[in-house]
Amino acid sequence: MLQNLIHNQTISIQNSSIEITIKREDLIHPFISGNKYRKLKYNIQQAKADHSKSILTFGGAFSNHIAAVAFAGKEYGFNTIGIIRGEELSLKNELNPTLQFAQSCGMRFKFISRGDYRAKTNQEFLDNLKSEFGDFYLLPEGGTNDLAVKGCEEILQTEDSKFNYICCPVGTGGTISGLINASQNHQKILGFPALKGDFLQEDIRKFANQDNWKLITDYHFGGYGKIKPELISFINMFKKDYNIPLDPIYTGKMLFGIFDLITLGVFPSDSKILAIHTGGLQGVAGVNAMLKRKKCPLIEV
């Protein structure tokens, strides 16, 4: 898997001594973007080593992971199967840009209820999927496993040691775990969950080997996929001021939180913050379609 040039982009905040630098992981690859590239890197290698012909994974309506796995399968010669949360989506597939893209890459779908989806780690459930689809290389929801964390440990480079704070969005906990493992003693890792609740702590502890981290749980905007007008306004302002596009599910919420915490005086003067742009821009088209139906302002891309 080849990657494009990644660069750090520093932005200025008016009347503040705090420096924010955005690590543009979204520029790694046009379709396997950001942390999805990192998570898939070693899993693809392992699937090849196992001589697997198919990759099966899980995701929701606008899942960056589903889109990335579908493209990676097409690119590297795997059949791909997506177990999609929400039976009703089977009737709306043609309206969903993410699922349309995944299908165009050859991914097969199985739409299941939210109740059944909660059993996705149950061995009996997985055995039934093997009976239906045959042998496959299993990728968990969001792609988080040991190999994914290993890939995410490569996000931080030597030159990033100057930063006091490393911030990232959090979905399933793989990216922040990799950042924690690769961080230095003087650095604090702050995670901004896109999901409501504080249940990710235990998942992260399974992979993280340091305690220099904290989850900031105040900026989920109501939960996964929930979006409010002030978030859209912030994302559009950020694009206009800094020419950096943000997605509304993950990175937009994180940067909204960082800016708010700076306003509240949480970060000490002269802090140097590195914010990880984890990609996810493919989901904007689907979110905008939803916003348009609700007659809400759209995200500018």
Side-chain angles (χ1 to χ4, degrees), residues 31-33 35-40 43-44 55-73 80-84 98-99 101-102 107 117 137-145 148 172 224 250 278-280 282-283:
F31 300 109
I32 311 172
S33 177
N35 63 340
K36 301 310 173 191
Y37 175 96
R38 303 292 188 179
K39 290 181 174 184
L40 285 173
N43 275 292
I44 292 292
I55 296 175
L56 180 142
T57 196
F58 303 84
F62 304 120
S63 170
N64 301 317
H65 175 66
I66 288 291
V69 170
F71 186 88
T80 54
I81 304 152
I83 310 303
I84 308 300
T98 297
L99 298 181
F101 173 78
M107 179 173 274
Y117 192 84
Y137 183 89
L138 176 66
L139 273 176
E141 181 181 36
T144 292
N145 58 15
T172 53
Y224 181 79
Y250 291 106
T278 54
Q282 67 81 28

Side-chain angles (χ1 to χ4, degrees), residues 22-269:
I22 314 295
K23 184 175 279 290
R24 296 294 305 274
E25 290 277 302
D26 59 305
L27 301 177
I28 289 180
H29 188 284
F31 300 109
I32 311 172
S33 177
N35 63 340
K36 301 310 173 191
Y37 175 96
R38 303 292 188 179
K39 290 181 174 184
L40 285 173
K41 177 180 176 180
Y42 291 111
N43 275 292
I44 292 292
Q45 291 180 14
Q46 187 62 54
K48 285 185 176 181
D50 292 346
H51 304 290
S52 297
K53 291 183 170 52
S54 300
I55 296 175
L56 180 142
T57 196
F58 303 84
F62 304 120
S63 170
N64 301 317
H65 175 66
I66 288 291
V69 170
F71 186 88
K74 177 183 176 183
E75 188 82 350
Y76 300 104
F78 296 97
N79 299 316
T80 54
I81 304 152
I83 310 303
I84 308 300
R85 180 180 63 247
E87 288 174 310
E88 73 282 358
L89 294 172
S90 62
L91 304 175
K92 301 178 181 179
N93 185 17
E94 70 278 9
L95 303 177
N96 184 321
T98 297
L99 298 181
Q100 268 190 337
F101 173 78
Q103 191 174 57
S104 75
C105 293
M107 179 173 274
R108 296 167 61 191
F109 297 134
K110 178 180 177 67
F111 296 91
I112 63 175
S113 70
R114 284 162 172 76
D116 288 344
Y117 192 84
R118 285 192 284 273
K120 60 185 176 293
T121 59
N122 182 285
Q123 191 57 52
E124 182 180 356
F125 180 77
L126 295 174
D127 288 342
N128 288 337
L129 290 176
K130 286 201 172 183
S131 297
E132 181 173 353
F133 295 107
D135 287 335
F136 51 75
Y137 183 89
L138 176 66
L139 273 176
E141 181 181 36
T144 292
N145 58 15
D146 289 325
L147 291 175
V149 173
K150 177 182 176 182
C152 290
E153 288 172 2
E154 297 176 355
I155 294 173
L156 293 182
Q157 302 296 309
T158 303
E159 61 268 23
D160 297 326
S161 62
K162 67 180 181 180
F163 296 103
N164 315 109
Y165 296 92
I166 314 292
C167 298
C168 74
V170 179
T172 53
T175 303
I176 190 173
S177 297
L179 292 169
I180 293 164
N181 294 348
S183 65
Q184 299 187 19
N185 291 336
H186 69 278
Q187 295 178 316
K188 181 83 170 183
I189 314 301
L190 302 180
F192 292 77
L195 293 81
K196 193 174 182 179
D198 199 25
F199 57 90
L200 285 164
Q201 301 271 358
E202 209 52 49
D203 290 339
I204 294 168
R205 289 193 183 97
K206 293 175 186 175
F207 299 106
N209 59 22
Q210 300 191 75
D211 295 322
N212 59 335
W213 58 279
K214 180 180 180 181
L215 294 184
I216 310 297
T217 58
D218 301 322
Y219 299 100
H220 52 71
F221 287 85
Y224 181 79
K226 303 294 184 183
I227 301 165
K228 295 184 179 180
E230 58 265 38
L231 179 61
I232 298 171
S233 297
F234 174 82
I235 290 171
N236 289 339
M237 175 276 294
F238 199 88
K239 176 69 164 59
K240 179 181 177 183
D241 290 351
Y242 305 113
N243 196 30
I244 301 176
L246 305 176
D247 83 287
I249 309 297
Y250 291 106
T251 308
K253 292 180 177 181
M254 171 193 68
L255 278 158
F256 184 102
I258 292 171
F259 271 58
D260 192 48
L261 293 176
I262 290 172
T263 301
L264 294 171
V266 171
F267 292 104
S269 298

